[in-house]
Amino acid sequence: ARAGDLGPLRAWYAARAPGDHVDAVFRAANVRYVVCTNVPFDAREASRFVDAGCCVDPATGLFRGWHPGDDDAATADGRFRTALRVDALLAGDWATVAAALRARGLDATLGAARLFLTAWARRYGAEYLMASTPGDLRYAAGDAALEPGWPSATRLVDEVLVPVARDLDLPLALKLGCVRRLAPDL
């Protein structure tokens, strides 16, 4: 294609079946599967897996109307596996966490946050928990919360994240000192 003329490339991709293209890319890269992180605190992204109004059932720890093993397009291709992205917890961003809890019919409590993460890990079929931590993360007794009345990042790690990882036997991957929005135009 000539510089600036994307028409032929677009036509070539449009003529390929998506599954055939994925097969070719995986073969060329010599990979069996990839792991994509999924953010349960992002309503738009989460809606690909669970309807926006769907609540967590405290009795089962699952989303109402969904059961492990249910067939669905979001997780049908086993080559695309998931990890549960939990950055908001490590950042101590209780406003984001609390809004996500309330949107799923839960109270804004640490116990509800554990239930929420457990439900999402099960729904996603998460391979592990993943967080990019802010550069100023402080993990220590007595660390300060971002806002009065919020739990600190240390409490969120100790009372939410670690118990969920332990209960579900999931590893926790941390990318320490992440700096965001260095090039927002990209």
Side-chain angles (χ1 to χ4, degrees):
R2 290 182 331 217
D5 183 10
L6 297 178
L9 287 173
R10 289 185 174 134
W12 184 82
Y13 280 107
R16 296 190 84 178
D20 293 342
H21 186 69
V22 169
D23 292 342
V25 169
F26 274 54
R27 253 191 327 276
N30 196 29
V31 297
R32 292 174 300 177
Y33 65 89
V34 295
V35 179
C36 308
T37 57
N38 297 96
V39 184
F41 304 108
D42 180 322
R44 187 180 55 135
E45 185 173 319
S47 69
R48 291 187 42 85
F49 290 85
V50 175
D51 290 336
C54 186
C55 294
V56 175
D57 182 350
T60 64
L62 301 171
F63 287 97
R64 290 192 177 111
W66 179 83
H67 304 286
D70 282 356
D71 237 2
D72 68 86
T75 58
D77 189 338
R79 298 174 300 177
F80 293 92
R81 300 180 185 179
T82 61
L84 183 65
R85 189 112 190 157
V86 294
D87 296 17
L89 292 171
L90 273 287
D93 183 0
W94 189 245
T96 295
V97 174
L101 296 174
R102 289 185 189 104
R104 297 300 178 172
L106 299 169
D107 293 330
T109 66
L110 297 179
R114 285 190 299 275
L115 182 64
F116 177 85
L117 289 185
T118 298
W120 276 110
R122 289 177 173 157
R123 176 63 185 94
Y124 286 149
E127 301 274 322
Y128 60 90
L129 305 176
M130 171 65 196
S132 296
T133 69
D136 61 352
L137 173 71
R138 299 288 181 259
Y139 178 81
D143 72 333
L146 291 178
E147 297 286 336
W150 289 9
S152 67
T154 299
R155 279 193 69 202
L156 289 168
V157 169
D158 290 349
E159 298 179 35
V160 178
L161 194 55
V162 170
V164 169
R166 183 182 52 239
D167 291 348
L168 297 176
D169 196 25
L170 292 174
L172 173 59
L174 299 176
K175 185 165 65 170
L176 303 172
C178 178
V179 178
R180 297 185 184 275
R181 296 177 184 86
L182 283 177
D185 295 336
L186 292 180

